[in-house]
Amino acid sequence: MGTRALCFCGDVAMADITRTRITLDEFKMLPESMDHIELIDGELIMSPAPKYKHQKAVLNTAARLLQFPQGTTVVSPMDVYLDENVLQPDVFWVSGDDSLCRLGDDGYWHGAPDLVVEVLSASTARRDHGVKFGLYEQHGTREYWLVDAEGEFVEVFHRDGARLARAGVYGTDESFALSLLPDVVIQVSALFA
């Protein structure tokens, strides 16, 4: 049975997502969709369409990652299976043969992408910082970016043993190096241009 959830963002409460409990097998039987639909801990989570600044940051980030010398860049909506959970990162990058993430015969990705980029929105920020962060950390994602399109900054986490450790928060006048490709530097301003 579906329920409606409220997200409290500042002083404003907004209905942000529709939630329904289903199994992974039931999820796999859903028709293909361009909607943002995830399965987290048995709960089907549908989010509203993102705003323009969000999508612009997604596009700019993907364009930058496509310049990497190797690997595969993927943009949402695309399912990533982590055991019984199915996530849709806004953007992710898979390094190649040594990655934990593989394209399955079913046409979806399985295992933790090497780099996950989540662009924050009011309806997803808590989940991106919380349960999704935990799942990516648990399953071995090596680098995680939380991009704030409104505030125009990026919070970057790098793998440190079993956890993702905060490497820094970078504004539009700054840049940062990737832990995955040390020769690659990201100019933050390019993500919001």
Side-chain angles (χ1 to χ4, degrees):
M1 174 190 286
T3 61
R4 196 81 174 143
L6 290 179
C7 172
F8 291 91
C9 304
D11 295 330
V12 179
M14 61 176 66
D16 69 333
I17 48 181
T18 300
R19 297 173 186 246
T20 302
R21 306 278 314 163
I22 67 170
T23 67
L24 180 60
D25 287 336
E26 290 169 328
F27 181 88
K28 289 178 179 179
M29 291 173 33
L30 294 173
E32 287 186 24
S33 171
M34 290 299 290
D35 294 329
H36 187 86
I37 302 171
E38 297 179 304
L39 181 65
I40 301 176
D41 296 329
E43 186 171 55
L44 186 70
I45 302 172
M46 297 177 62
S47 299
K51 294 182 179 178
Y52 174 71
K53 278 188 172 183
H54 178 282
Q55 288 305 89
K56 185 176 177 185
V58 166
L59 180 62
N60 289 343
T61 300
R64 179 62 183 111
L65 298 184
L66 284 167
Q67 297 174 6
F68 286 8
Q70 73 266 4
T72 302
T73 300
V74 183
V75 176
S76 182
M78 174 52 63
D79 291 344
V80 173
Y81 285 75
L82 300 176
D83 294 332
E84 298 293 308
N85 299 289
V86 183
L87 307 180
Q88 286 190 356
D90 287 314
V91 183
F92 65 93
W93 181 79
V94 177
S95 64
D97 292 338
D98 65 338
S99 179
L100 297 174
C101 193
R102 300 264 189 258
L103 183 60
D105 292 337
D106 60 359
Y108 298 108
W109 293 88
H110 297 264
D114 297 286
L115 168 63
V116 171
V117 181
E118 294 288 5
V119 179
L120 303 175
S121 62
S123 64
T124 66
R126 176 177 279 176
R127 197 166 51 255
D128 293 338
H129 276 285
V131 66
K132 289 178 75 172
F133 180 97
L135 286 168
Y136 294 131
E137 181 176 61
Q138 173 188 348
H139 288 275
T141 292
R142 295 166 42 198
E143 189 160 334
Y144 188 55
W145 303 355
L146 291 168
V147 176
D148 188 315
E150 293 296 326
E152 295 190 349
F153 65 86
V154 180
E155 188 173 10
V156 177
F157 297 85
H158 295 162
R159 171 108 353 230
D160 182 9
R163 59 187 282 272
L164 286 168
R166 184 195 238 194
V169 177
Y170 305 94
T172 55
D173 59 342
E174 298 176 288
S175 61
F176 62 93
L178 268 72
S179 63
L180 303 169
L181 300 169
D183 296 336
V184 176
V185 173
I186 301 296
Q187 299 293 329
V188 176
S189 59
L191 304 181
F192 308 109

